[in-house]
Amino acid sequence: MQSQAGSSMDASVTKMATESMAQNMAGGGMQVDDGTMEDILEKLKILNYMISFAQTWPSTKGHNYRPLTRTYFCAPAGNLNEQYFYFASLTAWLVSICGGKIDAPDQFDDPNVVSTNIIQALKDLDLPVRDIMPSKIRQGFGDSVLLTLSMLTDQALKEKGFQFVTPTYPADKYDDDMNIEDPSAVGDDGIIDDIAVREDSDDDVCTT
């Protein structure tokens, strides 16, 4: 039988998700960048999250964390309580990698307290929180959740010694000094007409 605290958390998360979905529908729907979640997932794979987090991190023992999909935190999942707890636990693990301090969440913790702790942990790591809404974090999905995970995965990779380098591409090289002896030989399409015109000479004239 589920405890009263667990039921309260389920009801709270469900209510917030329902209200958010209603607001989005009224406003025409909020566009979620699926590419952001895909990028987060790739960075989590580099951090070996299915081993370091899902199987060996002490606070996750007894919980079954399935591999994330490329859109998992973009929209409400079938089990909102499970989705929020996955986000909160993953965030706590990433904060610990970044050298921050945060209490590992329990499945029956008050989501308001957990969300407040997450915001404070981000501030302690000097990460910007201006665009992260606490009320949106409590949903367990959406822009604020994606932004939180994106910043933390970037920071965690830096702590692990990974460097992000902007790719450089070789400049296109063209022969700007190409000599054109006879400008009139350039056709309307900009292509040099390579047709030799032979002038008639006296030797070519037939005489009778």
Side-chain angles (χ1 to χ4, degrees):
M1 181 176 180
Q2 190 180 37
S3 69
Q4 184 177 358
S7 299
S8 175
M9 184 174 185
D10 281 338
S12 178
V13 174
T14 302
K15 180 176 181 294
M16 287 182 291
T18 303
E19 292 175 348
S20 175
M21 292 174 65
Q23 292 172 358
N24 291 338
M25 291 177 65
M30 182 179 66
Q31 298 297 321
V32 177
D33 185 1
D34 291 345
T36 301
M37 180 62 211
E38 186 172 0
D39 182 60
I40 291 169
L41 181 55
E42 292 305 313
K43 289 181 286 188
L44 287 172
K45 289 178 180 178
I46 295 175
L47 292 167
N48 200 21
Y49 82 106
M50 283 308 297
I51 299 297
S52 300
F53 164 69
Q55 297 183 20
T56 60
W57 197 49
S59 296
T60 61
K61 289 184 178 180
H63 300 285
N64 181 24
Y65 292 95
R66 292 172 294 180
L68 294 169
T69 65
R70 293 180 296 175
T71 59
Y72 185 70
F73 290 118
C74 294
N79 187 327
L80 294 173
N81 182 56
E82 179 181 300
Q83 184 180 31
Y84 178 77
F85 183 63
Y86 202 142
F87 160 69
S89 299
L90 190 61
T91 296
W93 173 66
L94 290 168
V95 167
S96 69
I97 294 178
C98 297
K101 294 182 179 180
I102 185 173
D103 293 333
D106 184 84
Q107 194 168 3
F108 304 122
D109 285 345
D110 183 346
N112 295 298
V113 175
V114 175
S115 299
T116 300
N117 292 340
I118 290 174
I119 295 293
Q120 186 58 52
L122 295 177
K123 291 180 178 179
D124 292 342
L125 291 171
D126 293 326
L127 296 175
V129 296
R130 184 184 62 182
D131 297 326
I132 298 178
M133 304 295 293
S135 60
K136 298 296 184 180
I137 281 183
R138 292 195 298 270
Q139 296 176 171
F141 66 89
D143 286 358
S144 291
V145 166
L146 293 174
L147 182 57
T148 298
L149 293 175
S150 183
M151 290 194 303
L152 286 174
T153 48
D154 283 346
Q155 188 66 27
L157 286 173
K158 291 178 182 179
E159 290 293 329
K160 292 288 187 179
F162 289 89
Q163 295 183 349
F164 298 89
V165 180
T166 303
T168 57
Y169 304 96
D172 294 329
K173 295 182 180 180
Y174 298 99
D175 189 2
D176 295 332
D177 298 329
M178 181 175 62
N179 294 323
I180 301 177
E181 296 181 357
D182 184 4
S184 64
V186 180
D188 294 336
D189 57 0
I191 301 175
I192 299 176
D193 295 328
D194 191 17
I195 301 176
V197 179
R198 183 171 61 86
E199 296 181 356
D200 292 335
S201 63
D202 293 341
D203 295 338
D204 295 326
V205 179
C206 294
T207 58
T208 58

